[in-house]
Amino acid sequence: MGGSYGSTLRYKSVQRLKPIGKHTLLGAGGEISDFQEIVRYLDELILYDNMWDDGNSLGPKEVHNYLNRLMYNRRNKFNPLWNTLVLGGVKNGQKYLGTVNMIGVHYEENHVATGFGNHLARPIFRDEWHEDMTFEEGVKLLEKCMLVLLYRDRSAVNKLQIAKITEEGATISEPYAIKTHWELEAFKNPATGAVGSW
Amino acid sequence: MFRNQYDTDVTTWSPAGRLFQVEYAMEAVKQGSAAVGLRSKTHVVLVCVGKANSEFSSHQKKIFKVDDHIGVAIAGLTADGRVLSLHMRSECIHYKFLYDSPLPVGRLVVQLADKAQVCTQRSWTRPYGVGLLVAGLDETGPHLYQNCPSGNYFEYQAFAIGARSQAAKTYLERKFETFPECSRNELIRHGIISVKEALAEGKLNGSNCNVAVVGIGEAFNTLDSKTVQQIIDSLEDRADEPPVDVAPVEGEQGAVQDDTDQAAAPMET
């Protein structure tokens, strides 16, 4: 959660996860207004898709490709949508997870991240992710990574949401906090052993 | 009948509420040589008779591949058919570019029908003089559609258009209830037999008979003339009835019939 204002985390209740249609979930990092614009484009896309009313529907792969076209074309016009997008979904039993960013770089992977997550979380995923994780194991792994990010990012806030998508649809949890520990010895008496007049 | 008074252009209704130019366009479809389409639970087959202008010329190309999962057979003005196929190819590739996914057949058919409708409501363009049988496969299964110059489209289990198509339809009517469970090869045989019924003179052979298939695990492709000749020959060896040797009917009795199993829904007014 959280919307930044430059390097400050100014808005602490902005939801950066959105369900798209029946089969997809979209998450974003970067410029919130651009993300809102992207969601508007996708709402229109899904609307027209639903209007066909013919049993066909756009799945996560199709939405991902559409977003890639969108981001890449804006980049080519030197007017990018300043976001990194994370997109996942399930359709007809097929799981999908991918990412696309403001310059149009896109790929599918078992674990994706935006911003500092790429540096702090992905290495943990590489070690600890494996096929056939249960949902609970997945959440634990995610929380572990979010904890690292919380400790290390000076403008993070202890408030996160977990979203789950299955064949039946998407659910986004209510925001919650994770337990952090600040009772390190060095914090208790910071002045102990310090040389100086004060 | 005083048809002549109200048939000069598309934008004139007759007192009986008909657009004669559109109906005349549908007549053009009936003049073209026959095209037959039929579908099972897994495949769609198109079979056509390709006329040749003379002994020296090649046989007319009536089947066009539109994408890996869609193909069309045309009857009527071949030039119009070619142009529409080109348009369909363009639509398919555009969708592929945007969504990295094959265009659902039903949506392509509707886009085509809307394109045809435009020509029934402008005074400066004429309706397309070609009927199309669109065969395709998408997420919701195999489909066979017919597109008319009027802008109407229908989905079928099996259908025939063009000259003497009624003879082909009569054969299809007798057999269509078995089509959903047919194997790919049985389906092709049914198609060729029904197209034989629509042949006025001469014999069916590998050159004047075009056969194309699309199905689960099989991209749209036209069979080469040698293969077609072999199938035709094998048909001659037996009786008119299709052989009972192949693929036993799976134990799926009372399997759900498609809701589009009317074979002879008339599109002509």
PDB file of all heavy atoms in Angstrom, chain B residues 235-268:
ATOM      1  N   LEU B 235     -13.827 -44.052 -51.710  1.00  0.00           N
ATOM      2  CA  LEU B 235     -15.286 -43.969 -51.620  1.00  0.00           C
ATOM      3  C   LEU B 235     -15.932 -44.777 -52.737  1.00  0.00           C
ATOM      4  O   LEU B 235     -16.954 -45.424 -52.554  1.00  0.00           O
ATOM      5  CB  LEU B 235     -15.745 -42.511 -51.741  1.00  0.00           C
ATOM      6  CG  LEU B 235     -15.516 -41.639 -50.516  1.00  0.00           C
ATOM      7  CD1 LEU B 235     -15.865 -40.211 -50.847  1.00  0.00           C
ATOM      8  CD2 LEU B 235     -16.370 -42.125 -49.363  1.00  0.00           C
ATOM      9  N   GLU B 236     -15.271 -44.707 -53.935  1.00  0.00           N
ATOM     10  CA  GLU B 236     -15.841 -45.410 -55.076  1.00  0.00           C
ATOM     11  C   GLU B 236     -15.846 -46.905 -54.854  1.00  0.00           C
ATOM     12  O   GLU B 236     -16.702 -47.622 -55.339  1.00  0.00           O
ATOM     13  CB  GLU B 236     -15.039 -45.097 -56.349  1.00  0.00           C
ATOM     14  CG  GLU B 236     -15.869 -44.389 -57.386  1.00  0.00           C
ATOM     15  CD  GLU B 236     -15.257 -43.055 -57.740  1.00  0.00           C
ATOM     16  OE1 GLU B 236     -14.230 -43.076 -58.423  1.00  0.00           O
ATOM     17  OE2 GLU B 236     -15.789 -42.022 -57.295  1.00  0.00           O
ATOM     18  N   ASP B 237     -14.852 -47.378 -54.086  1.00  0.00           N
ATOM     19  CA  ASP B 237     -14.748 -48.822 -53.872  1.00  0.00           C
ATOM     20  C   ASP B 237     -15.884 -49.355 -53.035  1.00  0.00           C
ATOM     21  O   ASP B 237     -16.212 -50.533 -53.091  1.00  0.00           O
ATOM     22  CB  ASP B 237     -13.427 -49.161 -53.159  1.00  0.00           C
ATOM     23  CG  ASP B 237     -12.231 -48.837 -54.045  1.00  0.00           C
ATOM     24  OD1 ASP B 237     -12.452 -48.714 -55.259  1.00  0.00           O
ATOM     25  OD2 ASP B 237     -11.113 -48.709 -53.518  1.00  0.00           O
ATOM     26  N   ARG B 238     -16.461 -48.462 -52.214  1.00  0.00           N
ATOM     27  CA  ARG B 238     -17.554 -48.984 -51.380  1.00  0.00           C
ATOM     28  C   ARG B 238     -18.869 -48.453 -51.910  1.00  0.00           C
ATOM     29  O   ARG B 238     -18.913 -47.807 -52.930  1.00  0.00           O
ATOM     30  CB  ARG B 238     -17.383 -48.497 -49.941  1.00  0.00           C
ATOM     31  CG  ARG B 238     -16.026 -48.832 -49.415  1.00  0.00           C
ATOM     32  CD  ARG B 238     -15.730 -48.040 -48.171  1.00  0.00           C
ATOM     33  NE  ARG B 238     -14.296 -47.766 -48.133  1.00  0.00           N
ATOM     34  CZ  ARG B 238     -13.542 -47.944 -47.074  1.00  0.00           C
ATOM     35  NH1 ARG B 238     -14.060 -48.367 -45.987  1.00  0.00           N
ATOM     36  NH2 ARG B 238     -12.261 -47.670 -47.095  1.00  0.00           N
ATOM     37  N   ALA B 239     -19.939 -48.726 -51.163  1.00  0.00           N
ATOM     38  CA  ALA B 239     -21.266 -48.206 -51.542  1.00  0.00           C
ATOM     39  C   ALA B 239     -21.325 -46.724 -51.214  1.00  0.00           C
ATOM     40  O   ALA B 239     -20.404 -46.155 -50.655  1.00  0.00           O
ATOM     41  CB  ALA B 239     -22.348 -48.969 -50.783  1.00  0.00           C
ATOM     42  N   ASP B 240     -22.459 -46.124 -51.540  1.00  0.00           N
ATOM     43  CA  ASP B 240     -22.627 -44.691 -51.268  1.00  0.00           C
ATOM     44  C   ASP B 240     -22.583 -44.368 -49.787  1.00  0.00           C
ATOM     45  O   ASP B 240     -22.251 -43.271 -49.379  1.00  0.00           O
ATOM     46  CB  ASP B 240     -23.985 -44.219 -51.825  1.00  0.00           C
ATOM     47  CG  ASP B 240     -23.770 -43.286 -52.998  1.00  0.00           C
ATOM     48  OD1 ASP B 240     -22.637 -43.229 -53.519  1.00  0.00           O
ATOM     49  OD2 ASP B 240     -24.719 -42.638 -53.406  1.00  0.00           O
ATOM     50  N   GLU B 241     -22.977 -45.362 -48.959  1.00  0.00           N
ATOM     51  CA  GLU B 241     -23.001 -45.113 -47.520  1.00  0.00           C
ATOM     52  C   GLU B 241     -21.578 -45.025 -47.000  1.00  0.00           C
ATOM     53  O   GLU B 241     -20.721 -45.781 -47.438  1.00  0.00           O
ATOM     54  CB  GLU B 241     -23.731 -46.254 -46.790  1.00  0.00           C
ATOM     55  CG  GLU B 241     -25.193 -46.373 -47.161  1.00  0.00           C
ATOM     56  CD  GLU B 241     -25.928 -45.076 -46.959  1.00  0.00           C
ATOM     57  OE1 GLU B 241     -26.030 -44.626 -45.806  1.00  0.00           O
ATOM     58  OE2 GLU B 241     -26.383 -44.487 -47.944  1.00  0.00           O
ATOM     59  N   PRO B 242     -21.289 -44.160 -46.076  1.00  0.00           N
ATOM     60  CA  PRO B 242     -19.941 -44.095 -45.512  1.00  0.00           C
ATOM     61  C   PRO B 242     -19.631 -45.381 -44.756  1.00  0.00           C
ATOM     62  O   PRO B 242     -20.533 -46.010 -44.225  1.00  0.00           O
ATOM     63  CB  PRO B 242     -19.986 -42.898 -44.549  1.00  0.00           C
ATOM     64  CG  PRO B 242     -21.413 -42.664 -44.302  1.00  0.00           C
ATOM     65  CD  PRO B 242     -22.181 -43.155 -45.476  1.00  0.00           C
ATOM     66  N   PRO B 243     -18.395 -45.809 -44.723  1.00  0.00           N
ATOM     67  CA  PRO B 243     -18.004 -47.104 -44.169  1.00  0.00           C
ATOM     68  C   PRO B 243     -18.229 -47.156 -42.659  1.00  0.00           C
ATOM     69  O   PRO B 243     -18.207 -46.149 -41.984  1.00  0.00           O
ATOM     70  CB  PRO B 243     -16.512 -47.215 -44.471  1.00  0.00           C
ATOM     71  CG  PRO B 243     -16.075 -45.813 -44.617  1.00  0.00           C
ATOM     72  CD  PRO B 243     -17.209 -45.066 -45.195  1.00  0.00           C
ATOM     73  N   VAL B 244     -18.479 -48.364 -42.178  1.00  0.00           N
ATOM     74  CA  VAL B 244     -18.725 -48.542 -40.732  1.00  0.00           C
ATOM     75  C   VAL B 244     -17.480 -49.042 -40.008  1.00  0.00           C
ATOM     76  O   VAL B 244     -17.531 -49.383 -38.845  1.00  0.00           O
ATOM     77  CB  VAL B 244     -19.880 -49.538 -40.481  1.00  0.00           C
ATOM     78  CG1 VAL B 244     -21.191 -48.799 -40.436  1.00  0.00           C
ATOM     79  CG2 VAL B 244     -19.925 -50.613 -41.529  1.00  0.00           C
ATOM     80  N   ASP B 245     -16.336 -49.108 -40.723  1.00  0.00           N
ATOM     81  CA  ASP B 245     -15.179 -49.739 -40.113  1.00  0.00           C
ATOM     82  C   ASP B 245     -14.544 -48.908 -39.006  1.00  0.00           C
ATOM     83  O   ASP B 245     -14.223 -49.406 -37.951  1.00  0.00           O
ATOM     84  CB  ASP B 245     -14.113 -50.067 -41.170  1.00  0.00           C
ATOM     85  CG  ASP B 245     -13.741 -48.816 -41.948  1.00  0.00           C
ATOM     86  OD1 ASP B 245     -14.672 -48.082 -42.323  1.00  0.00           O
ATOM     87  OD2 ASP B 245     -12.551 -48.584 -42.178  1.00  0.00           O
ATOM     88  N   VAL B 246     -14.393 -47.639 -39.253  1.00  0.00           N
ATOM     89  CA  VAL B 246     -13.547 -46.818 -38.365  1.00  0.00           C
ATOM     90  C   VAL B 246     -14.151 -46.497 -37.003  1.00  0.00           C
ATOM     91  O   VAL B 246     -15.270 -46.856 -36.720  1.00  0.00           O
ATOM     92  CB  VAL B 246     -13.167 -45.484 -39.043  1.00  0.00           C
ATOM     93  CG1 VAL B 246     -11.954 -45.681 -39.904  1.00  0.00           C
ATOM     94  CG2 VAL B 246     -14.321 -44.962 -39.856  1.00  0.00           C
ATOM     95  N   ALA B 247     -13.371 -45.787 -36.236  1.00  0.00           N
ATOM     96  CA  ALA B 247     -13.632 -45.321 -34.874  1.00  0.00           C
ATOM     97  C   ALA B 247     -14.989 -45.697 -34.301  1.00  0.00           C
ATOM     98  O   ALA B 247     -15.996 -45.117 -34.679  1.00  0.00           O
ATOM     99  CB  ALA B 247     -13.472 -43.819 -34.810  1.00  0.00           C
ATOM    100  N   PRO B 248     -15.034 -46.630 -33.368  1.00  0.00           N
ATOM    101  CA  PRO B 248     -16.313 -46.982 -32.743  1.00  0.00           C
ATOM    102  C   PRO B 248     -16.844 -45.776 -31.980  1.00  0.00           C
ATOM    103  O   PRO B 248     -16.066 -45.005 -31.432  1.00  0.00           O
ATOM    104  CB  PRO B 248     -15.955 -48.116 -31.792  1.00  0.00           C
ATOM    105  CG  PRO B 248     -14.502 -47.961 -31.539  1.00  0.00           C
ATOM    106  CD  PRO B 248     -13.930 -47.372 -32.777  1.00  0.00           C
ATOM    107  N   VAL B 249     -18.165 -45.654 -31.992  1.00  0.00           N
ATOM    108  CA  VAL B 249     -18.758 -44.523 -31.287  1.00  0.00           C
ATOM    109  C   VAL B 249     -18.443 -44.651 -29.805  1.00  0.00           C
ATOM    110  O   VAL B 249     -18.670 -45.680 -29.203  1.00  0.00           O
ATOM    111  CB  VAL B 249     -20.289 -44.494 -31.495  1.00  0.00           C
ATOM    112  CG1 VAL B 249     -20.901 -43.369 -30.683  1.00  0.00           C
ATOM    113  CG2 VAL B 249     -20.622 -44.346 -32.947  1.00  0.00           C
ATOM    114  N   GLU B 250     -17.895 -43.601 -29.230  1.00  0.00           N
ATOM    115  CA  GLU B 250     -17.551 -43.630 -27.805  1.00  0.00           C
ATOM    116  C   GLU B 250     -18.814 -43.779 -26.969  1.00  0.00           C
ATOM    117  O   GLU B 250     -19.880 -43.377 -27.377  1.00  0.00           O
ATOM    118  CB  GLU B 250     -16.850 -42.320 -27.415  1.00  0.00           C
ATOM    119  CG  GLU B 250     -15.384 -42.496 -27.092  1.00  0.00           C
ATOM    120  CD  GLU B 250     -14.530 -42.687 -28.329  1.00  0.00           C
ATOM    121  OE1 GLU B 250     -14.352 -43.837 -28.754  1.00  0.00           O
ATOM    122  OE2 GLU B 250     -14.082 -41.703 -28.893  1.00  0.00           O
ATOM    123  N   GLY B 251     -18.698 -44.315 -25.775  1.00  0.00           N
ATOM    124  CA  GLY B 251     -19.862 -44.600 -24.939  1.00  0.00           C
ATOM    125  C   GLY B 251     -20.544 -43.358 -24.397  1.00  0.00           C
ATOM    126  O   GLY B 251     -21.018 -43.344 -23.274  1.00  0.00           O
ATOM    127  N   GLU B 252     -20.558 -42.291 -25.177  1.00  0.00           N
ATOM    128  CA  GLU B 252     -21.139 -41.052 -24.651  1.00  0.00           C
ATOM    129  C   GLU B 252     -22.552 -40.906 -25.166  1.00  0.00           C
ATOM    130  O   GLU B 252     -22.881 -39.956 -25.854  1.00  0.00           O
ATOM    131  CB  GLU B 252     -20.303 -39.849 -25.101  1.00  0.00           C
ATOM    132  CG  GLU B 252     -18.923 -39.888 -24.545  1.00  0.00           C
ATOM    133  CD  GLU B 252     -18.567 -38.564 -23.871  1.00  0.00           C
ATOM    134  OE1 GLU B 252     -19.368 -37.642 -23.901  1.00  0.00           O
ATOM    135  OE2 GLU B 252     -17.468 -38.515 -23.341  1.00  0.00           O
ATOM    136  N   GLN B 253     -23.387 -41.872 -24.898  1.00  0.00           N
ATOM    137  CA  GLN B 253     -24.761 -41.793 -25.364  1.00  0.00           C
ATOM    138  C   GLN B 253     -25.456 -40.613 -24.729  1.00  0.00           C
ATOM    139  O   GLN B 253     -25.222 -40.294 -23.573  1.00  0.00           O
ATOM    140  CB  GLN B 253     -25.524 -43.077 -24.978  1.00  0.00           C
ATOM    141  CG  GLN B 253     -25.225 -44.254 -25.878  1.00  0.00           C
ATOM    142  CD  GLN B 253     -25.522 -43.971 -27.341  1.00  0.00           C
ATOM    143  OE1 GLN B 253     -26.139 -42.975 -27.689  1.00  0.00           O
ATOM    144  NE2 GLN B 253     -25.079 -44.851 -28.207  1.00  0.00           N
ATOM    145  N   GLY B 254     -26.329 -40.011 -25.495  1.00  0.00           N
ATOM    146  CA  GLY B 254     -27.064 -38.882 -24.939  1.00  0.00           C
ATOM    147  C   GLY B 254     -26.142 -37.709 -24.631  1.00  0.00           C
ATOM    148  O   GLY B 254     -26.445 -36.905 -23.785  1.00  0.00           O
ATOM    149  N   ALA B 255     -25.022 -37.673 -25.333  1.00  0.00           N
ATOM    150  CA  ALA B 255     -24.136 -36.517 -25.136  1.00  0.00           C
ATOM    151  C   ALA B 255     -24.867 -35.262 -25.586  1.00  0.00           C
ATOM    152  O   ALA B 255     -25.744 -35.312 -26.425  1.00  0.00           O
ATOM    153  CB  ALA B 255     -22.857 -36.709 -25.948  1.00  0.00           C
ATOM    154  N   VAL B 256     -24.486 -34.154 -24.998  1.00  0.00           N
ATOM    155  CA  VAL B 256     -25.200 -32.887 -25.276  1.00  0.00           C
ATOM    156  C   VAL B 256     -25.133 -32.562 -26.756  1.00  0.00           C
ATOM    157  O   VAL B 256     -24.072 -32.436 -27.325  1.00  0.00           O
ATOM    158  CB  VAL B 256     -24.555 -31.741 -24.467  1.00  0.00           C
ATOM    159  CG1 VAL B 256     -25.271 -30.438 -24.727  1.00  0.00           C
ATOM    160  CG2 VAL B 256     -24.616 -32.089 -22.987  1.00  0.00           C
ATOM    161  N   GLN B 257     -26.274 -32.418 -27.382  1.00  0.00           N
ATOM    162  CA  GLN B 257     -26.304 -32.005 -28.780  1.00  0.00           C
ATOM    163  C   GLN B 257     -26.027 -30.518 -28.831  1.00  0.00           C
ATOM    164  O   GLN B 257     -26.450 -29.772 -27.985  1.00  0.00           O
ATOM    165  CB  GLN B 257     -27.704 -32.278 -29.370  1.00  0.00           C
ATOM    166  CG  GLN B 257     -27.887 -33.663 -29.954  1.00  0.00           C
ATOM    167  CD  GLN B 257     -27.098 -33.868 -31.252  1.00  0.00           C
ATOM    168  OE1 GLN B 257     -26.390 -32.994 -31.710  1.00  0.00           O
ATOM    169  NE2 GLN B 257     -27.228 -35.038 -31.826  1.00  0.00           N
ATOM    170  N   ASP B 258     -25.328 -30.116 -29.866  1.00  0.00           N
ATOM    171  CA  ASP B 258     -25.147 -28.682 -30.035  1.00  0.00           C
ATOM    172  C   ASP B 258     -26.502 -28.034 -30.240  1.00  0.00           C
ATOM    173  O   ASP B 258     -27.397 -28.609 -30.845  1.00  0.00           O
ATOM    174  CB  ASP B 258     -24.288 -28.398 -31.274  1.00  0.00           C
ATOM    175  CG  ASP B 258     -22.847 -28.742 -30.983  1.00  0.00           C
ATOM    176  OD1 ASP B 258     -22.171 -27.876 -30.433  1.00  0.00           O
ATOM    177  OD2 ASP B 258     -22.455 -29.872 -31.273  1.00  0.00           O
ATOM    178  N   ASP B 259     -26.663 -26.811 -29.749  1.00  0.00           N
ATOM    179  CA  ASP B 259     -27.959 -26.169 -29.927  1.00  0.00           C
ATOM    180  C   ASP B 259     -28.104 -25.569 -31.318  1.00  0.00           C
ATOM    181  O   ASP B 259     -29.056 -24.906 -31.617  1.00  0.00           O
ATOM    182  CB  ASP B 259     -28.167 -25.106 -28.841  1.00  0.00           C
ATOM    183  CG  ASP B 259     -26.943 -24.222 -28.675  1.00  0.00           C
ATOM    184  OD1 ASP B 259     -26.150 -24.141 -29.630  1.00  0.00           O
ATOM    185  OD2 ASP B 259     -26.765 -23.647 -27.618  1.00  0.00           O
ATOM    186  N   THR B 260     -27.104 -25.777 -32.161  1.00  0.00           N
ATOM    187  CA  THR B 260     -27.200 -25.205 -33.510  1.00  0.00           C
ATOM    188  C   THR B 260     -27.271 -26.310 -34.533  1.00  0.00           C
ATOM    189  O   THR B 260     -26.543 -26.310 -35.502  1.00  0.00           O
ATOM    190  CB  THR B 260     -25.975 -24.355 -33.816  1.00  0.00           C
ATOM    191  OG1 THR B 260     -24.811 -25.146 -33.596  1.00  0.00           O
ATOM    192  CG2 THR B 260     -25.937 -23.145 -32.909  1.00  0.00           C
ATOM    193  N   ASP B 261     -28.157 -27.305 -34.308  1.00  0.00           N
ATOM    194  CA  ASP B 261     -28.100 -28.436 -35.221  1.00  0.00           C
ATOM    195  C   ASP B 261     -29.173 -28.382 -36.291  1.00  0.00           C
ATOM    196  O   ASP B 261     -29.540 -29.378 -36.870  1.00  0.00           O
ATOM    197  CB  ASP B 261     -28.147 -29.759 -34.453  1.00  0.00           C
ATOM    198  CG  ASP B 261     -29.426 -29.865 -33.635  1.00  0.00           C
ATOM    199  OD1 ASP B 261     -30.275 -28.950 -33.705  1.00  0.00           O
ATOM    200  OD2 ASP B 261     -29.573 -30.871 -32.930  1.00  0.00           O
ATOM    201  N   GLN B 262     -29.714 -27.187 -36.574  1.00  0.00           N
ATOM    202  CA  GLN B 262     -30.618 -27.105 -37.728  1.00  0.00           C
ATOM    203  C   GLN B 262     -29.787 -27.112 -38.988  1.00  0.00           C
ATOM    204  O   GLN B 262     -28.944 -26.250 -39.172  1.00  0.00           O
ATOM    205  CB  GLN B 262     -31.401 -25.778 -37.709  1.00  0.00           C
ATOM    206  CG  GLN B 262     -32.597 -25.779 -36.770  1.00  0.00           C
ATOM    207  CD  GLN B 262     -32.162 -25.564 -35.338  1.00  0.00           C
ATOM    208  OE1 GLN B 262     -32.084 -26.485 -34.549  1.00  0.00           O
ATOM    209  NE2 GLN B 262     -31.825 -24.335 -35.033  1.00  0.00           N
ATOM    210  N   ALA B 263     -29.991 -28.037 -39.859  1.00  0.00           N
ATOM    211  CA  ALA B 263     -29.168 -28.078 -41.060  1.00  0.00           C
ATOM    212  C   ALA B 263     -29.708 -27.160 -42.126  1.00  0.00           C
ATOM    213  O   ALA B 263     -28.965 -26.573 -42.873  1.00  0.00           O
ATOM    214  CB  ALA B 263     -29.099 -29.500 -41.598  1.00  0.00           C
ATOM    215  N   ALA B 264     -31.028 -27.056 -42.249  1.00  0.00           N
ATOM    216  CA  ALA B 264     -31.581 -26.382 -43.423  1.00  0.00           C
ATOM    217  C   ALA B 264     -32.294 -25.086 -43.056  1.00  0.00           C
ATOM    218  O   ALA B 264     -33.406 -24.853 -43.467  1.00  0.00           O
ATOM    219  CB  ALA B 264     -32.530 -27.320 -44.155  1.00  0.00           C
ATOM    220  N   ALA B 265     -31.678 -24.245 -42.248  1.00  0.00           N
ATOM    221  CA  ALA B 265     -32.307 -22.957 -41.969  1.00  0.00           C
ATOM    222  C   ALA B 265     -32.164 -22.070 -43.190  1.00  0.00           C
ATOM    223  O   ALA B 265     -31.060 -21.742 -43.592  1.00  0.00           O
ATOM    224  CB  ALA B 265     -31.640 -22.306 -40.770  1.00  0.00           C
ATOM    225  N   PRO B 266     -33.232 -21.678 -43.799  1.00  0.00           N
ATOM    226  CA  PRO B 266     -33.111 -20.935 -45.063  1.00  0.00           C
ATOM    227  C   PRO B 266     -32.645 -19.516 -44.794  1.00  0.00           C
ATOM    228  O   PRO B 266     -33.156 -18.843 -43.929  1.00  0.00           O
ATOM    229  CB  PRO B 266     -34.536 -20.960 -45.629  1.00  0.00           C
ATOM    230  CG  PRO B 266     -35.414 -21.156 -44.447  1.00  0.00           C
ATOM    231  CD  PRO B 266     -34.634 -21.880 -43.414  1.00  0.00           C
ATOM    232  N   MET B 267     -31.662 -19.078 -45.533  1.00  0.00           N
ATOM    233  CA  MET B 267     -31.219 -17.705 -45.405  1.00  0.00           C
ATOM    234  C   MET B 267     -31.806 -16.861 -46.506  1.00  0.00           C
ATOM    235  O   MET B 267     -31.833 -15.662 -46.441  1.00  0.00           O
ATOM    236  CB  MET B 267     -29.686 -17.626 -45.413  1.00  0.00           C
ATOM    237  CG  MET B 267     -29.083 -18.268 -46.628  1.00  0.00           C
ATOM    238  SD  MET B 267     -28.331 -17.077 -47.699  1.00  0.00           S
ATOM    239  CE  MET B 267     -27.632 -18.106 -48.938  1.00  0.00           C
ATOM    240  N   GLU B 268     -32.246 -17.547 -47.566  1.00  0.00           N
ATOM    241  CA  GLU B 268     -32.914 -16.822 -48.631  1.00  0.00           C
ATOM    242  C   GLU B 268     -34.293 -16.442 -48.133  1.00  0.00           C
ATOM    243  O   GLU B 268     -34.946 -17.203 -47.446  1.00  0.00           O
ATOM    244  CB  GLU B 268     -33.070 -17.715 -49.879  1.00  0.00           C
ATOM    245  CG  GLU B 268     -31.762 -18.192 -50.459  1.00  0.00           C
ATOM    246  CD  GLU B 268     -31.317 -19.543 -49.898  1.00  0.00           C
ATOM    247  OE1 GLU B 268     -31.092 -19.638 -48.693  1.00  0.00           O
ATOM    248  OE2 GLU B 268     -31.224 -20.489 -50.690  1.00  0.00           O
TER     249      GLU B 268
END
